[in-house]
Amino acid sequence: MDSTANGAQSTVKYEDESARLLKRTALRDANLNPAIRDTSKDSSLKRHTALIKRIRQSLASEGRDQILKEIDFLSLEKYIDEIAGAVVEGISRCKTERDIWAAVEVISSLHQRFAATFTPALLSTLSSAISAPNRAALNALTPEQREREENSRVIRQRPVVRVCSELALVGIIKDGPGKSGGEWMMKALKELLSNDPGLSSLPLLTTFLKSYSRPYLGITGSASSKQAPSESSIPVASGEVDETYPSLTYESHELVEQDIRDRFRRMVEGYYDSVCKKLIIEHKRLQEQDKRNHEAYIRSGEIFEDRQQAYEKMTKGYEKLFSSCQALSEQLYLPLPSLPTISQKSDSILIGSNNLNHLEDTDEIIPTGGKWEDEEERRFFEDVQDLKDFVPSSVLGIDVPEQEENKETEKQRLDREKEEVRKLEEELHKLEQNAVEPTPNDSPIDSIDEDDVSTPTPGTPKASTPPLSPHMAPQGPSQLLTALLLRLPDATNRALMDQAAIDFAFLNSKAARKRLVKFLAQVPKNRTDLLPHYSRLVATLNKYMPDVGTELIAILDEEFRYLQRKKNVVKELAEVRLKNITYLSNLTKFHVVPSHLILHIFKVCLDDFSGVNVENIALLLEGCGRFLLRTEETSQRFGTMLELMRRKQSLQHFDQRQLLLLENAYYQCNPPERAPKQEKRRSHMELFIRHLVYDVLSKKTIDKVLKLIRKLDWDNTEVRSTLHKVFTKPWKFTYSNVSLMAMLTNDLQRYRPAFAIAVVDQVLEDVRRGLEQNVYSTNQRRLAIMKYLGELYIYRLLSSGIIFDTLWSLVMFGHPDGRPMPKQLVTLDMPDDFFRIRLVCVLLDTCGMCFDRGTQKRKLDNFLVFFQYYIHCKDSLPLDVDFMVSDSLEAVRPKLQFAKTIEEAAVAVDEMFNVAYQNISAGDDSGDDSEDEGERLNGDEGEGEEEDDAVDHTSQVDERAPSPDQEVVLSASNSLQDNLGPSEEAEAEFA
């Protein structure tokens, strides 16, 4: 069956290719020998304009017949250039093979009439349309913009490449008289692919091979070989005979010459080899990244977001490259490369046992108190890219003799460093003996001859070259380097700086390195945020361009010596000192600054432990002290220096600012050990209840949550305790869910009345405790409790008397005789403490609009009179509190006239109290508000739509019917607490 199916596929493919060859041959003969046409044509401007517009819109097969008819009918001599430009635009809208062939026929018709004028103009336009993009312009874009630009370019060039391929076969594009255009096409593709290091033009080659591998490369193969390409799938030249795919023509009938086909095939196969090598490199990088992610997950229990994003981006690029490589393999009938695999899981399991040496090269296990503060800092300073993976070795100048010289140079450098370390240890030993007698005025730097050292003038760098014109893209190496340097101050993340390092590697020269070092040494004093990123750039380049790091360190060391000679200039050079020490600290963490040099700098500052050197030491400790103390190479020597610094600090007198600097820097460098925070263990039932309330609860799920809570084992002490804790801590809810919790409590009181009463009691107790303690750290939870209290009243779980008692407590508690006085100092309610006013406003905003009739309205009016007096007893209100008060009063009493002065407020309070006393003397007892509560409970239905709107406004949950049974109202008389419990219908529904 398989052989029969393969034979049928080969027959179909053979017939299709034969039909295409016949069409191309016929059209080629017509183009090479055009027929003589009638010269009398229509020259109407209107019809010419319509034709050009139609060509520009599309050259697809739908309008082919009409366009060919008008080309034969119109004169067109005066519009050749416009037609050539319109043809290229029309080509971009061709999608299918029929559309491409229709465009070729239209172009052939024009070529047959105007071969001398139309064809050269068209070829010039097509050459520019399929040319490689400007790399300098692309480098100026961000990675996202560059990706979008490359994708749009490929979409634009795909139909142009197909049309050009057809034109070279039908005799319009020619390499010379009697020759085809195969070499023209090969050069165009070669230029397009060779100037594309990112392989973004790879889909264009795949498109070309899919349709034109037979005429241009002479490649034929069996249908079965496409499914599983292997080493046995050898390309078959067109002159040879294959059993499943016979040769179409003799060599004399081929449209492209034999030597061009062979060269074309070799070029494409060589490019395929390069793509395969790139695929293997990307595959190894992806596996290594996957392995590092797996180890990081084992180590920390999670994979950080930026690491995950980088891995996803790398995976996406690898999959795209693999699909393109697979498509090339199928078209060329060449085997895919064997991708290496590594047993990453088995290696990762060995973390902590015998795999420590391997982890030194990848991700080190960071113990508590390691040399890095967190994982992000470790990745920034340790995960430095290797330029060899992105830049050819020839560009980096790597060869065997140079490597041997580098080894010898490295050996000499290590010997010099050992000698420096030995001298430094001798000086430390002498310094420890004389530590009791510090000499603040002596410094070894003073022995340096100032005439022998040039004095740098630190300052902001000046632009050495004028800015580039936006209309002129940089072309030469100097202009490209200038553009790169101008881009560096904006490269404030790892990806941009790593890309800048790769771009500089392609521009590498001795002059370029000197210019880069000069630029990096002249960082503006106010741009210390650039120093870590510039240090990363130096660390990336230093491996293959060691003179960059050496020269920059020499400049910074010289600048440090200059600043030591200018210790008396404090304010003017403070920013320069900060930049210099911060730069050296960051370079130290990248292992660019030798350890003996940074320790020598620390020792110089310690010798003269006074003035600006105190700040220098603090900066060094904050910048790289933790790194030096926890690096094996410098741990012992730097620990000795730290001990010496602490002894000098205890013997010398420093002001408070210097002491604070040194203490903060020391403990940041060597933080004290502390026990890890113990995670609170919760039972599964407690986790489930918290999940219901904190995660699941919403307007749509409140009924479901209620049923699940009712189904819990209420006889279990743990369940009841957990529910009580959750329902009485409203500061842990989302603020918008406070009303939902009040509604949930209201629904539960029908079935568990004791639970609802306990919740209300606890809330009132928390309100009272907040007034008694008045701790600033609990202000946020006190606001949530007050909001919760108002929502409980809205759902009729307590009476209005409790609300008014709370309001009066907020303005009177803690004051002598319950009467606040202007500017009176009370510990629990100071004149400049406005938090109680905020609490009153929150409670009024929540349930104040319910007190709008009867005795409740009169009670609220009386409270608002006293509240105005209370506000005037405070200092001037901040703007936010003033606005809050205005909004709250306008919501409950829009027509209220606010007292302007404290005298006016005091008179209103006296009048209010006199009226209240008279009412009490007359026997009008307004303390029992059960009648008003009854009106509120029973009168909602008779108040009409206006009252319904008010209730709906207070509740944040719409279109939910209230509970069918009578509610529990916690009041002084408890007159409404009869007949508690669910109804029979509710029990049946629950069952």
Side-chain angles (χ1 to χ4, degrees), residues 617-898:
I617 287 181
L619 290 172
L620 278 171
L621 291 178
E622 292 176 357
C624 62
R626 186 187 184 105
F627 173 82
L628 293 173
L629 190 62
R630 285 163 175 79
T631 301
E632 184 178 356
E633 181 184 357
T634 58
S635 176
Q636 184 176 359
R637 285 173 286 158
F638 190 70
T640 305
M641 288 186 173
L642 274 184
E643 293 176 4
L644 185 60
M645 185 203 77
R646 298 291 283 180
R647 281 185 295 186
K648 280 196 168 189
Q649 181 182 344
S650 62
L651 293 173
Q652 292 182 226
H653 175 71
F654 296 104
D655 58 32
Q656 191 64 29
R657 184 186 66 86
Q658 291 175 328
L659 283 175
L660 188 61
L661 277 175
L662 291 174
E663 290 295 324
N664 288 343
Y666 175 77
Y667 285 112
Q668 186 172 348
C669 162
N670 188 23
E673 295 183 1
R674 55 184 178 180
K677 186 177 179 181
Q678 296 293 332
E679 183 179 359
K680 187 174 181 180
R681 294 184 176 275
R682 293 185 170 92
S683 64
H684 296 295
M685 180 57 66
E686 184 178 359
L687 292 174
F688 174 70
I689 294 173
R690 291 169 63 88
H691 171 67
L692 284 180
V693 175
Y694 297 148
D695 301 332
V696 179
L697 183 63
S698 64
K699 295 180 182 179
K700 296 181 180 179
T701 61
I702 185 169
D703 293 324
K704 177 183 177 182
V705 172
L706 172 64
K707 288 185 178 181
L708 289 173
I709 291 179
R710 285 183 58 201
K711 290 182 179 180
L712 296 176
D713 184 9
W714 284 79
D715 296 332
N716 190 331
T717 305
E718 180 190 357
V719 173
R720 289 201 310 271
S721 175
T722 303
L723 286 170
H724 184 267
K725 285 191 297 184
V726 169
F727 275 75
T728 54
K729 294 182 178 179
W731 58 88
K732 293 189 176 182
F733 313 151
T734 311
Y735 194 73
S736 59
N737 277 5
V738 173
S739 62
L740 297 179
M741 289 302 299
M743 178 184 287
L744 201 58
T745 309
N746 174 48
D747 291 338
L748 283 173
Q749 61 85 22
R750 297 164 47 203
Y751 311 99
R752 306 289 174 182
F755 174 77
I757 294 174
V759 169
V760 175
D761 284 343
Q762 186 62 48
V763 171
L764 294 174
E765 180 67 25
D766 291 339
V767 173
R768 183 75 176 187
R769 185 187 298 112
L771 292 174
E772 293 173 352
Q773 296 177 349
N774 193 32
V775 180
Y776 175 79
S777 60
T778 62
N779 283 357
Q780 194 68 33
R781 65 175 59 182
R782 290 175 68 189
L783 286 174
I785 291 171
M786 201 58 62
K787 169 76 172 175
Y788 195 30
L789 183 67
E791 294 290 348
L792 290 174
Y793 171 75
I794 289 176
Y795 288 101
R796 304 166 186 175
L797 289 167
L798 47 88
S799 67
S800 62
I802 296 177
I803 297 297
F804 285 113
D805 289 345
T806 304
L807 287 172
W808 283 99
S809 298
L810 291 173
V811 296
M812 300 179 68
F813 184 83
H815 292 275
D817 299 328
R819 186 73 180 262
M821 300 296 291
K823 310 298 181 182
Q824 185 179 31
L825 298 180
V826 178
T827 306
L828 296 178
D829 191 19
M830 299 296 286
D832 59 349
D833 185 2
F834 309 100
F835 188 70
R836 289 193 183 184
I837 298 177
R838 291 179 182 272
L839 294 177
V840 172
C841 292
V842 169
L843 191 54
L844 291 178
D845 290 341
T846 305
C847 61
M849 63 283 300
C850 298
F851 309 129
D852 57 351
R853 61 179 180 273
T855 57
Q856 296 179 1
K857 181 177 183 299
R858 188 166 64 251
K859 287 182 179 181
L860 182 60
D861 291 339
N862 292 340
F863 170 76
L864 292 179
V865 172
F866 193 86
F867 183 51
Q868 297 179 58
Y869 169 76
Y870 175 79
I871 292 174
H872 282 293
C873 291
K874 296 285 185 179
D875 294 343
S876 299
L877 297 182
L879 282 179
D880 58 334
V881 179
D882 192 10
F883 291 152
M884 181 182 287
V885 171
S886 301
D887 293 342
S888 300
L889 294 181
E890 185 178 359
V892 295
R893 295 294 183 267
K895 298 181 181 179
L896 178 68
Q897 295 294 328
F898 195 83

Side-chain angles (χ1 to χ4, degrees), residues 148-350:
R148 288 197 298 269
E149 176 62 27
E150 291 287 358
N151 291 336
S152 62
R153 176 184 65 83
V154 170
I155 293 174
R156 290 194 310 269
Q157 289 183 339
R158 182 178 280 117
V160 180
V161 168
R162 295 181 66 182
V163 170
C164 289
S165 303
E166 292 286 355
L167 295 180
L169 294 175
V170 298
I172 295 179
I173 297 178
K174 294 184 292 185
D175 300 327
K179 294 185 178 181
S180 68
E183 189 166 1
W184 186 94
M185 198 65 208
M186 180 176 63
K187 290 180 179 179
L189 281 178
K190 184 177 181 180
E191 179 184 0
L192 190 63
L193 297 174
S194 60
N195 290 290
D196 181 31
L199 303 181
S200 57
S201 299
L202 195 54
L204 295 177
L205 179 60
T206 305
T207 301
F208 173 79
L209 293 177
K210 189 174 181 179
S211 301
Y212 305 105
S213 61
R214 168 66 185 82
Y216 279 98
L217 276 67
I219 293 179
T220 61
S222 63
S224 60
S225 61
K226 260 193 168 184
Q227 306 301 325
S230 62
E231 296 181 358
S232 60
S233 303
I234 303 172
V236 181
S238 59
E240 301 174 4
V241 178
D242 184 57
E243 293 181 0
T244 57
Y245 195 175
S247 177
L248 293 174
T249 62
Y250 296 103
E251 179 59 34
S252 59
H253 297 165
E254 289 289 346
L255 300 178
V256 180
E257 294 80 1
Q258 176 69 42
D259 59 332
I260 295 178
R261 294 202 305 271
D262 295 339
R263 288 163 51 202
F264 212 147
R265 185 169 65 250
R266 286 195 297 270
M267 183 199 80
V268 175
E269 289 175 353
Y271 182 75
Y272 173 72
D273 292 339
S274 302
V275 173
C276 291
K277 293 178 182 177
K278 176 73 172 176
L279 178 66
I280 294 173
I281 293 174
E282 292 297 323
H283 180 75
K284 291 180 179 178
R285 287 184 60 217
L286 183 64
Q287 286 191 324
E288 291 172 358
Q289 184 66 34
D290 183 45
K291 181 179 180 180
R292 286 195 291 265
N293 288 351
H294 184 70
E295 293 170 353
Y297 180 78
I298 293 177
R299 183 172 58 249
S300 59
E302 62 176 342
I303 298 178
F304 291 93
E305 185 178 357
D306 57 344
R307 182 187 286 267
Q308 183 68 23
Q309 291 177 353
Y311 180 74
E312 292 175 356
K313 184 177 181 181
M314 188 182 297
T315 304
K316 183 180 178 182
Y318 171 76
E319 291 176 351
K320 184 177 179 182
L321 179 61
F322 180 79
S323 60
S324 300
C325 188
Q326 192 173 24
L328 282 180
S329 172
E330 293 178 356
Q331 297 300 329
L332 296 174
Y333 299 100
L334 294 175
L336 278 171
S338 58
L339 300 176
T341 58
I342 54 176
S343 55
Q344 57 210 34
K345 292 185 179 180
S346 60
D347 291 345
S348 304
I349 299 301
L350 298 178

